[in-house]
């Protein structure tokens, strides 16, 4: 299946679910998934950027998204 179409279906079925992605290299597929679900893409081109992207994504999650409240 087309991942962009699947992400649209997920967004319709679970409108509160946001998908954040850490992309390595070309993020074209990641971008459509994040956009369709209201999430974000954290991009990286090398190991240093990857570590920073994971850190940023983790901080956003730790800051609270309202889950479990």
């Amino acid at each position: 299946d087309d991942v962009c179409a699947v992400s649209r279906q997920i967004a319709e079925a679970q409108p509160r679910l946001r998908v954040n992605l850490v992309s390595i290299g070309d993020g074209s597929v990641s971008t459509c998934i994040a956009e369709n679900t209201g999430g974000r893409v954290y991009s990286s081109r090398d190991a240093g950027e990857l570590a920073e992207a994971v850190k940023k994504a983790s901080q956003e999650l730790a800051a609270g998204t309202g889950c479990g409240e």
Side-chain angles (χ1 to χ4, degrees):
D1 284 324
D2 172 22
V3 295
C4 293
V6 171
S7 67
R8 284 189 295 273
Q9 292 171 350
I10 291 170
E12 289 175 16
Q14 299 292 325
R16 293 178 52 198
L17 176 68
R18 281 187 257 152
V19 178
N20 293 337
L21 296 145
V22 175
S23 176
I24 302 170
D26 178 26
S28 59
V29 172
S30 303
T31 300
C32 82
I33 295 169
E35 285 178 357
N36 289 338
T37 62
R40 293 183 187 206
V41 176
Y42 298 90
S43 299
S44 63
R45 294 175 299 222
D46 58 39
E49 288 182 1
L50 176 61
E52 186 63 27
V54 170
K55 181 179 176 182
K56 286 180 182 178
S58 298
Q59 288 173 340
E60 181 177 322
L61 181 63
T65 59
C67 293
E69 293 181 0

